[in-house]
Amino acid sequence: MPQEYLLPASIEECLHMLAVYPGGRIIAGGTDLMLDLREGRKEAKALIDITRIGELKRISADKDRISIGAAVTHAEVAASELIRQRLPALAAAAGAVGSPQVRNVGTLGGNIVNAQPAADTAVALVALGARAVIVSAAGERQVAVEDLYAGVGRSQVDASKEILTKFIIDLWGAGDASAFARLARRRTLSLPVLNVAVRVKLKEGRCTRARVCLAPVVPRPLPCQEAASVLIGQPPTEEVIARAAAAAKQAAHPRDSLLRGPANYRKDMVEVLLKRALREAFGLPAEEDGHQGQTV
Amino acid sequence: MVKFELKVNGQEYQLEIPADVSLLEVLREYLGFTGTKEGCGQGECGACTVLVDGQAVNACLYPALKAAGAEVLTIEGLAGPGGKLHPLQEAFISAGAVQCGYCTPGMIMSAKALLDRNPTPTREEIKLGLAGNLCRCTGYNKIITAVEKAAAAINKEK
Ligand SMILES: Cc1cc2nc3c(=O)[nH]c(=O)nc-3n(C[C@H](O)[C@H](O)[C@H](O)COP(=O)(O)OP(=O)(O)OC[C@H]3O[C@@H](n4cnc5c(N)ncnc54)[C@H](O)[C@@H]3O)c2cc1C
Ligand code: FES
Ligand code: FES
């Protein structure tokens, strides 16, 4: 049982607390950790709350990149004019998390370190090519978000020793676009059956860069090179979108799941969702594909 | 146990609590604010919704010690001087938006957070604002109507 609840005001102070309280663990919003502690899935002797560290609450941009503090909440990301305009896939993903109450408290950093394969903002951050900055007593390292997974619910970030401080996302310049699509039983408070995110760059009528992420089809958000390579060098047409979506369907191997639905249905829906996301990113009209499920 | 000062409905309370106790447990078991309900205890139902610095949160998942230095508002803090009901409380009664009443405090706190931010919400915006609150009884329509009525009443008062 935790004996202390500490509220450091700086990253240095937080590292010092992690050093002097063995068994200490970082807590951000607590929307995952409070239940994990209560149900004995995780343990901590001291809880070190990072949400009063100003640097971790900041969203900033220069001409080449956007940086988002790990303790920024989903509600703040979804409402940020900068994120909505420059990284719409992330704004949409953050806006799809849980409920207003969960979004007001849950953070981007917590969503990544909690390491669920279909965490909404993780899927967007992987498609955007985000890097996580991780600080410990040993120094600082940067790791691509997709490389932070050690297994379902297990992160490479050790929350008893290290702080994920921020995410860095390079801007791709003119023609940079992104989109997120999610399939769930209802619009709020429901696990995604599937979620996908895409990022593309259009130059002189062709797609010159592309990243695609699918989840949950393996135990972590899956970057889908097969679909991305179909797009590169091609014009943003329905025919190209259809080929990329077919490639994603081919690459995805979702499992049968009582919660999320049968594998063959979800494999088909990967194709449908990716088409929706790509049409949105390319600025093409949405098309009705006859499916009644909710997406955002 | 950690010594700690919590501000609820404008009043300071001195407490000694376990480090990981939820705000919901402190409100109900330590301070007797039983208007805030526990439904699921897992963030799924919104019955425990309170405002922390004006933001709706699930008190069942919110560490009490995170509220250090913040203003917590519960359903008990909503009525005005002399117990005059808040327009949201009036509207929930007059629109018939209360059946068993278990979800009502949470619904009203979410609605308050919504109206403080957006005084003239559409029905769709009200649905999204209340999306984290479940009701087993009413079918939601009367709740949404109550929030519309309260918004109109508050805007008229201004
Ligand atoms: C009802 C409900 C609905 C939900 N719906 C969704 C949903 O639709 N989509 C979705 O993706 N998620 C959902 N979640 C999960 C959760 O809200 C998110 O994963 C949230 O982003 C977690 O952030 P947090 O700040 O609350 O993390 P916490 O619970 O504070 O922390 C989670 C883990 O990360 C560690 N940690 C947190 N921040 C850092 C950091 N900066 N550095 C190092 N370690 C850190 C903690 O030690 C802990 O192990 C839901 C949760 C609930 C309760
Ligand atoms: S009791 Fe907190 S959300 Fe259900
Ligand atoms: S009135 Fe009974 S749960 Fe809403």
Side-chain angles (χ1 to χ4, degrees):
Chain A
M1 261 244 303
Q3 302 299 317
E4 307 273 354
Y5 195 97
L6 307 161
L7 289 153
S10 68
I11 292 174
E12 297 68 44
E13 196 184 347
C14 184
L15 286 175
H16 176 73
M17 288 169 175
L18 285 170
V20 299
Y21 291 96
R25 185 180 187 96
I26 299 222
I27 183 166
T31 60
D32 283 315
L33 188 56
M34 285 292 276
L35 281 178
D36 284 344
L37 291 172
R38 207 176 290 161
E39 287 163 18
R41 286 189 296 264
K42 293 211 169 91
E43 277 180 22
K45 295 221 173 67
L47 293 171
I48 305 171
D49 184 325
I50 57 167
T51 61
R52 307 275 171 103
I53 303 176
E55 210 180 321
L56 267 51
K57 300 282 306 164
R58 210 167 293 145
I59 302 179
S60 63
D62 61 27
K63 72 181 200 328
D64 298 323
R65 57 190 61 87
I66 289 181
S67 133
I68 310 173
V72 173
T73 65
H74 299 302
E76 288 162 348
V77 171
S80 156
E81 215 36 63
L82 178 74
I83 306 292
R84 291 163 73 102
Q85 283 177 15
R86 311 297 293 275
L87 307 171
L90 183 60
V97 170
S99 64
Q101 293 94 319
V102 172
R103 292 194 291 276
N104 281 340
V105 178
T107 64
L108 281 196
N111 203 220
I112 301 306
V113 179
N114 205 54
Q116 290 302 314
D120 287 297
T121 63
V123 173
L125 286 170
V126 167
L128 293 169
R131 301 187 302 280
V133 177
I134 299 152
V135 175
S136 71
E140 183 181 305
R141 61 195 172 109
Q142 287 195 15
V143 184
V145 170
E146 67 237 50
D147 294 332
L148 286 178
Y149 292 82
V152 175
R154 285 195 298 124
S155 175
Q156 303 281 2
V157 180
D158 179 350
S160 67
K161 293 195 180 66
E162 314 180 289
I163 318 166
L164 197 175
T165 57
K166 62 182 170 187
F167 299 97
I168 298 174
I169 298 150
D170 292 331
L171 294 170
W172 286 2
D176 183 352
S178 68
F180 172 81
R182 184 185 209 254
L183 177 70
R185 285 176 204 276
R186 346 180 253 135
R187 267 198 297 179
T188 40
L189 282 175
S190 61
L191 283 175
V193 171
L194 285 169
N195 45 11
V196 309
V198 299
R199 186 182 197 183
V200 292
K201 179 177 167 75
L202 285 175
K203 198 174 169 187
E204 290 154 14
R206 305 230 159 226
C207 178
T208 55
R209 295 179 79 174
R211 290 182 60 93
V212 173
C213 180
L214 315 173
V217 294
V218 294
R220 67 196 173 95
L222 177 71
C224 183
Q225 192 52 47
E226 293 86 340
S229 46
V230 170
L231 298 166
I232 291 172
Q234 300 302 312
T237 61
E238 276 295 333
E239 187 269 330
V240 170
I241 289 176
R243 278 199 286 127
K249 176 182 168 181
Q250 200 66 42
H253 300 286
R255 289 191 308 179
D256 281 318
S257 156
L258 286 176
L259 273 175
R260 303 185 199 267
N264 57 356
Y265 166 72
R266 293 170 65 226
K267 202 167 157 76
D268 285 347
M269 288 309 292
V270 165
E271 190 173 8
V272 174
L273 283 192
L274 190 57
K275 282 186 189 169
R276 288 183 192 167
L278 283 170
R279 280 184 199 120
E280 192 182 324
F282 286 149
L284 300 178
E287 221 160 78
E288 198 36 72
D289 12 42
H291 178 77
Q292 300 299 309
Q294 290 280 10
T295 55
V296 284
Chain B
M1 293 298 226
V2 185
K3 283 211 171 97
F4 154 78
E5 220 174 74
L6 181 67
K7 198 165 176 192
V8 185
N9 302 332
Q11 210 176 320
E12 301 267 8
Y13 298 89
Q14 309 290 331
L15 292 158
E16 210 174 326
I17 57 174
D20 59 346
V21 71
S22 72
L23 179 59
L24 178 63
E25 190 173 336
V26 167
L27 289 171
R28 289 184 56 89
E29 310 297 332
Y30 288 69
L31 297 175
F33 288 114
T34 53
T36 305
K37 303 303 178 201
E38 174 161 25
C40 62
Q42 310 198 343
E44 302 276 352
C45 75
C48 64
T49 304
V50 299
L51 306 194
V52 176
D53 285 341
Q55 301 236 20
V57 310
N58 293 316
C60 67
L61 296 181
Y62 199 86
L65 284 145
K66 197 189 245 312
E71 301 265 351
V72 178
L73 185 71
T74 72
I75 190 75
E76 288 91 347
L78 217 54
K84 184 178 180 309
L85 293 184
H86 186 276
L88 272 164
Q89 294 171 306
E90 292 283 5
F92 267 67
I93 296 168
S94 65
V98 181
Q99 287 188 21
C100 80
Y102 204 79
C103 70
T104 310
M107 285 285 180
I108 290 182
M109 297 317 286
S110 282
K112 166 127 175 54
L114 171 70
L115 295 185
D116 287 348
R117 226 177 36 246
N118 175 3
T120 52
T122 61
R123 276 184 88 83
E124 188 58 26
E125 286 167 341
I126 295 172
K127 285 187 199 169
L128 290 175
L130 300 182
N133 294 77
L134 300 184
C135 174
R136 307 188 314 167
C137 307
T138 64
Y140 301 101
N141 269 319
K142 291 187 172 176
I143 291 178
I144 297 160
T145 302
V147 177
E148 283 181 319
K149 278 181 88 170
I154 292 168
N155 293 328
K156 215 166 121 194
E157 263 176 32
K158 278 186 193 154

